[in-house]
Structures are given as structure tokens and as C-alpha cells.
């Protein structure tokens, strides 16, 4: 069984910073892609940033230059450093691990979500 455990959300003022962490636990042979999505009230879930095991990272245009995704393959963990936060960044942030290889095969997994609120 694979679980994604997220941490680091909270309330921050505009212009502030937060760091999200997501650790995948279980008997995992490898993870192709890990990253973060977000969903604001009344909106669809959207990609924020994701990284492949080959080292390719994709960012949403709205966060380029402000957010940085990093990954520790040995720990099956990704980190999202969020700087210069704006009120429009307010959302529930979800970690996703794609093409996770275990003894049972391959699958995709989501975290439970962590709230990020940017407000003065």
C-alpha cells in the first residue's frame, strides 16, 4: 500500500513564503513523476509543478519564477518552495505520484490535500 503524506500548508500574508513536503511511503521500487496540483473553490484541479525521475520539471505559468519544486528520490519525497505568494494562490494543494512501481504493479496516488491560504 502506497501513501502520500503531505505537510507544510497554512496561512500566510501576501508576499510571504511556504514550503510544502510530500513523502511517499510503502514498498516502492520507483516513481516516475511526482508533483503538486491545486484546487481553488469553484475551480478545477490544476497542475502546479511536477518532476519526472529523469529530472524534467514542469511549472504552471502562473507560478514560474515564484515556486520551486525539488525532489529527493532516495526518500521518495518532493518539496514545493513557494515564494512571493499571492491571494490567488489560495487553494487546497494535492501531492500526486504517478507511475509508482511496487510489487503489486504500477499505479497513481494522491495525497489527502493541504490548505494554503494567502490573506492579509
Amino acid at each position: 500500500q502506497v501513501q502520500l503524506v503531505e505537510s507544510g500548508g497554512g496561512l500566510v500574508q501576501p508576499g510571504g513564503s511556504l514550503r510544502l513536503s510530500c513523502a511517499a511511503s510503502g514498498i516502492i521500487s520507483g516513481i516516475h513523476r511526482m508533483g503538486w496540483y491545486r484546487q481553488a473553490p469553484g475551480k478545477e484541479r490544476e497542475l502546479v509543478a511536477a518532476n519526472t525521475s529523469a529530472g524534467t520539471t514542469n511549472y504552471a505559468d502562473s507560478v514560474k519564477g515564484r515556486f520551486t519544486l525539488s525532489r529527493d528520490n532516495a526518500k521518495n519525497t518532493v518539496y514545493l518552495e513557494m515564494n512571493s505568494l499571492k491571494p490567488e494562490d489560495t487553494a487546497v494543494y494535492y501531492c500526486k505520484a504517478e507511475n509508482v512501481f511496487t510489487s503489486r504493479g504500477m499505479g497513481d496516488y494522491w495525497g489527502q490535500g493541504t490548505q494554503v491560504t494567502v490573506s492579509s
Side-chain angles (χ1 to χ4, degrees):
Q1 183 74 12
V2 175
Q3 289 187 326
L4 302 183
V5 179
E6 303 156 338
S7 62
L11 172 64
V12 65
Q13 293 185 341
S17 299
L18 281 175
R19 186 183 194 227
L20 305 183
S21 299
C22 172
S25 64
I27 303 176
I28 298 170
S29 301
I31 302 174
H32 172 61
R33 192 169 186 246
M34 283 189 81
W36 292 90
Y37 290 71
R38 67 186 181 187
Q39 188 166 19
K43 295 187 177 181
E44 293 186 354
R45 192 171 296 187
E46 62 175 1
L47 172 71
V48 177
N51 173 271
T52 69
S53 57
T56 302
T57 303
N58 294 312
Y59 292 95
D61 288 342
S62 59
V63 306
K64 285 180 180 177
R66 300 188 298 122
F67 291 11
T68 302
L69 184 74
S70 59
R71 178 172 171 176
D72 186 334
N73 289 322
K75 296 181 179 180
N76 291 325
T77 300
V78 288
Y79 307 93
L80 185 66
E81 188 73 37
M82 304 185 293
N83 298 314
S84 302
L85 282 161
K86 304 175 181 180
E88 51 263 43
D89 294 317
T90 295
V92 178
Y93 284 68
Y94 296 91
C95 179
K96 185 180 183 183
E98 299 176 52
N99 291 356
V100 180
F101 294 88
T102 70
S103 61
R104 294 188 175 185
M106 185 177 68
D108 296 346
Y109 299 88
W110 288 93
Q112 79 281 3
T114 184
Q115 177 71 45
V116 172
T117 302
V118 184
S119 175
S120 55

